[in-house]
Amino acid sequence: MSLPAYLRDQPVGGRMYGTLSYNRRAKCWTIKGEPCVTELAKRLFPGCAGHGRGEARFTAHRRIIGDLNWLMLRYPLAIAERDRDRWEEALQGARAWAARRSLADAMPDTARPPATTFTGELTPFQQKGLAYLLANERALLADEMGLGKTVQAIALMASALTFPALIVVPPHLLRNWRRELDRFLTPPGGLRVHVLKGLTPYPLPEADVYLIHYLLLRGWKETLPRLGFHILLFDEIQELRRAGTEKYSAASLLSSACGRVIGLSGTPIYNRGGEIWNVINILDFHFLGSWESFSREWCDGYGRGVVLHPDVLGDHLRREGLMLRRTKAEVLPELPPKRRLVQEIDADDALYERLTREVLEKLAVLRRDETLTPSKRAILEEQISQKERQATGLAKAVYVAAFARALLEGGERVLLFAHHHAVMDAYKRELGAFSPVFITGRETDEQKDFSARSFMEGRTSLCCVSLRSAAGLNLQRATCVVFGELDWSPAVHSQAEDRAHRIGQRDSLLCYYLVSPSGSDQDMQEALGLKVSQFLALMGGEPTPAADMLAQAAAAAEHVRRLMLRYNLLEEQCVAENEKA
């Protein structure tokens, strides 16, 4: 590749218009020279700053180094002796970056991961996303939620095969990432994944992929940058939109130590300048210049945070190979009308254990009381099933709310389904900032109509609906359906989905089934035919009411039988431990 004209060496000899030196504390290059040079620099380059006359500062970023060199071709500067080697290194870095950008422009716009290391199938727009990530080592993949950012990132790892990789995620997505890695990634020799635990660093076992959540970064701040990760992924990178925290500082140090850094976010916030500047700074330090110069040139005032022309900023980021964003509207022809996803989320095990104490007491009665009539036994089994289902729903309610919050912050319009009133109350506490409306069976007809109108007329983007109160509702404004609790009946879920997927729905509807690894969810998944990590295609038709009721009763009874088996096993273990003691 021929060297761009602006990156050639400055002429030797002749007039010098000032000096160039490196400021180690501010990490910038400083011109001290004639006003004609420093004034021109400040006028031409938004990233240039200065303190008083005769001084101009350029951030030591490879792109900005190119601007500075271009200026020096017209106005040669004497480079301080102690900084000559540093300048040559910086100039070579700028040239290498220009070469990579030129190469990226010439690369194919689609790519497929090797079938030997990747077990999934990418859509055409996801293949373009993979090609983009392969061509740009530091980038923000900002596709709208539901377009498969996770699978594109895993396809990148399968294609690059440069391990070890580190993935930083919100706490409630740890399980989902582990599951998706196991599903899609098959490096030679098998996949080794380690999830980092606690704030205190410890010797890490050998692995291909390491997972850590944002809240632990501060404890590992000094350790992780020294471990030589080849790929660094920040999922939901908007978690780093605020600087000044230990979490942000740790992420910044970590990013500077890695060669390939990718951020994933369906909510790139570039109408709030400070937030997107912070996010981009993690991916590529001072790509947008200093905060002072960025706010002065891009925002509505010096030091202020609102970008005047976010579309222009977005174009700049895309043009420079730093951001790729596709919306559902843009790729709608490639999407099915309805997509069903099972997503595993965390649960509060301590809360679940506390809530199921009453279940254990009723199981003991069911096991030992031989005087129970068949009808009383059936009533007791139903009580056990309901209590355990409610405990499951409450234990994961905070995590369901966190998932729904991410959808809402991304601009989605959400129908959140649950079964128990106590679970709905938990959603109300956790999601109150979004002014949710409720249709739970506790409302009058007037209140139910008001909730439906409020959602359909755009006064709120969150409507919480009881699984058994969905009949007759017309809520096609929704773009996402979230099942925070499950029902034994496939027909109930299908009917709930149809509240949004009706005439007038022009979007590709996303239906999320959020399940926890413990409690009733596992048995209910099996009864419904749901398989974790797979798109679902099971609930298209509704069985007859009689068949549905029989299947539901049988599934609930089988669930209680399994609870009894687990209870018996636990009791036997306790007896054995007591005998040993």
Side-chain angles (χ1 to χ4, degrees):
M1 186 199 81
S2 60
L3 195 65
Y6 69 91
L7 287 172
R8 294 173 185 165
D9 290 324
Q10 70 170 340
V12 178
R15 177 180 174 79
M16 294 292 170
Y17 289 81
T19 61
L20 179 70
S21 61
Y22 184 73
N23 185 320
R24 287 161 175 76
R25 176 176 293 180
K27 295 182 179 179
C28 68
W29 289 93
T30 302
I31 298 174
K32 290 185 178 179
E34 298 180 18
C36 64
V37 180
T38 55
E39 189 271 337
L40 180 66
K42 295 172 187 175
R43 197 151 39 90
L44 285 179
F45 303 112
C48 179
H51 295 277
R53 297 189 186 94
E55 181 177 310
R57 292 183 175 185
F58 286 77
T59 300
H61 185 281
R62 56 190 180 276
R63 181 180 63 84
I64 296 175
I65 291 297
D67 295 339
L68 175 55
N69 194 73
W70 177 81
L71 179 68
M72 291 166 64
L73 294 178
R74 172 63 180 86
Y75 297 101
L77 300 171
I79 301 171
E81 188 65 33
R82 65 170 188 167
D83 295 325
R84 284 186 180 277
D85 291 343
R86 183 185 291 272
W87 171 254
E88 283 301 318
E89 183 182 346
L91 187 57
Q92 290 304 319
R95 288 167 175 168
W97 180 77
R100 285 197 299 270
R101 291 296 312 131
S102 179
L103 182 63
D105 292 339
M107 287 179 68
D109 64 355
T110 62
R112 293 174 181 267
T116 54
T117 56
F118 184 77
T119 60
E121 186 67 34
L122 299 182
T123 64
F125 77 85
Q126 289 171 341
Q127 293 172 19
K128 291 182 178 179
L130 172 59
Y132 182 88
L133 295 179
L134 287 169
N136 298 281
E137 291 184 341
R138 290 176 175 264
L140 172 64
L141 181 60
D143 288 345
E144 274 191 344
M145 203 163 212
L147 297 188
K149 294 184 292 296
T150 299
V151 75
Q152 292 174 74
I154 295 175
L156 169 67
M157 288 189 281
S159 301
L161 279 182
T162 51
F163 297 116
L166 177 67
I167 305 174
V168 186
V169 306
H172 68 281
L173 292 180
L174 273 173
R175 289 183 186 275
N176 185 64
W177 264 98
R178 177 61 194 265
R179 176 172 53 80
E180 295 297 272
L181 288 166
D182 288 337
R183 176 186 176 192
F184 287 114
L185 192 58
T186 56
L191 179 65
R192 299 170 300 170
V193 179
H194 178 74
V195 180
L196 278 71
K197 305 288 186 182
L199 288 167
T200 303
Y202 55 86
L204 295 178
E206 285 193 15
D208 301 302
V209 181
Y210 296 87
L211 285 165
I212 186 172
H213 65 70
Y214 283 101
L215 300 180
L216 298 185
L217 279 181
R218 59 187 176 90
W220 291 78
K221 178 178 178 178
E222 304 298 331
T223 303
L224 292 178
R226 301 197 298 263
L227 298 182
F229 297 109
H230 293 288
I231 297 180
L232 173 61
L233 288 175
F234 290 105
D235 189 24
E236 304 295 349
I237 195 174
Q238 72 273 8
E239 291 273 339
L240 300 173
R241 63 186 181 272
R242 294 184 179 89
T245 64
E246 281 292 304
K247 174 175 69 173
Y248 188 90
S249 175
S252 182
L253 286 174
L254 184 56
S255 176
S256 66
C258 297
R260 186 183 291 273
V261 184
I262 304 297
L264 307 178
S265 174
T267 54
I269 311 166
Y270 53 87
N271 63 329
R272 291 291 303 173
E275 294 178 352
I276 193 62
W277 184 84
N278 288 332
V279 168
I280 297 301
N281 237 24
I282 291 292
L283 294 173
D284 200 351
F285 184 71
H286 272 196
F287 176 88
L288 291 173
S290 67
W291 166 242
E292 289 77 11
S293 63
F294 175 81
S295 62
R296 183 183 69 236
E297 300 299 330
W298 285 101
C299 301
D300 62 350
Y302 182 79
R304 295 169 63 96
V306 178
V307 173
L308 288 174
H309 302 290
D311 54 335
V312 177
L313 176 57
D315 287 342
H316 174 60
L317 294 174
R318 285 187 286 268
R319 188 172 57 250
E320 293 292 329
L322 206 68
M323 185 177 77
L324 176 66
R325 176 169 174 80
R326 281 80 56 87
T327 65
K328 283 189 288 187
E330 291 169 347
V331 300
L332 199 57
E334 298 181 37
L335 301 176
K338 185 192 293 185
R339 291 167 287 160
R340 295 185 177 108
L341 289 163
V342 177
Q343 183 139 339
E344 191 171 290
I345 60 171
D346 278 322
D348 185 336
D349 293 334
L351 176 60
Y352 174 78
E353 184 177 342
R354 188 167 70 252
L355 293 172
T356 51
R357 288 171 187 165
E358 185 180 346
V359 173
L360 293 177
E361 293 171 1
K362 291 181 180 296
L363 281 170
V365 173
L366 190 64
R367 179 188 178 192
R368 297 192 177 101
D369 193 342
E370 298 180 356
T371 65
L372 289 174
T373 63
S375 60
K376 288 184 178 180
R377 178 173 288 271
I379 292 171
L380 187 57
E381 287 180 349
E382 174 63 19
Q383 290 174 348
I384 290 170
S385 177
Q386 286 290 344
K387 283 289 184 182
E388 213 259 346
R389 284 178 63 194
Q390 179 172 289
T392 301
L394 287 170
K396 65 177 180 175
V398 171
Y399 299 95
V400 171
F403 187 88
R405 186 180 299 113
L407 291 172
L408 291 161
E409 289 175 348
E412 302 290 350
R413 302 180 294 276
V414 179
L415 296 184
L416 177 54
F417 284 94
H419 177 69
H420 295 92
H421 292 319
V423 175
M424 285 291 190
D425 292 340
Y427 295 162
K428 188 173 186 178
R429 289 192 301 271
E430 295 293 327
L431 296 167
F434 296 94
S435 303
V437 291
F438 290 82
I439 302 174
T440 66
R442 291 185 286 188
E443 298 81 16
T444 65
D445 288 342
E446 291 78 11
Q447 291 170 327
K448 177 179 176 180
D449 290 343
F450 175 80
S451 293
R453 285 199 312 274
S454 295
F455 183 78
M456 288 300 294
E457 293 172 4
R459 292 196 291 274
T460 180
S461 291
L462 175 60
C463 184
C464 301
V465 187
S466 171
L467 282 163
R468 296 280 172 159
S469 299
L473 294 173
N474 188 13
L475 300 168
Q476 72 269 26
R477 181 173 170 266
T479 57
C480 289
V481 171
V482 178
F483 291 99
E485 289 191 279
L486 302 180
D487 194 280
W488 291 110
S489 167
V492 168
H493 296 92
S494 182
Q495 185 182 69
E497 291 176 353
D498 286 345
R499 297 314 96 204
H501 194 249
R502 302 172 69 85
I503 296 173
Q505 172 63 268
R506 295 181 174 86
D507 207 343
S508 176
L509 185 69
L510 263 171
C511 302
Y512 288 102
Y513 289 75
L514 304 185
V515 300
S516 66
S518 58
S520 61
D521 278 357
Q522 300 304 304
D523 289 344
M524 298 184 84
Q525 280 181 255
E526 185 175 326
L528 291 168
L530 309 183
K531 293 188 181 297
V532 175
S533 304
Q534 295 182 4
F535 286 88
L536 310 177
L538 275 167
M539 287 166 280
E542 298 184 11
T544 61
D548 190 20
M549 290 174 63
L550 287 172
Q552 178 181 341
E558 174 63 16
H559 173 56
V560 174
R561 186 187 71 80
R562 293 187 181 189
L563 282 176
M564 180 69 78
L565 290 174
R566 290 197 286 267
Y567 172 77
N568 292 343
L569 179 61
L570 182 63
E571 190 175 61
E572 289 170 4
Q573 290 173 343
C574 290
V575 170
E577 289 175 2
N578 289 333
E579 289 177 350
K580 287 181 181 178

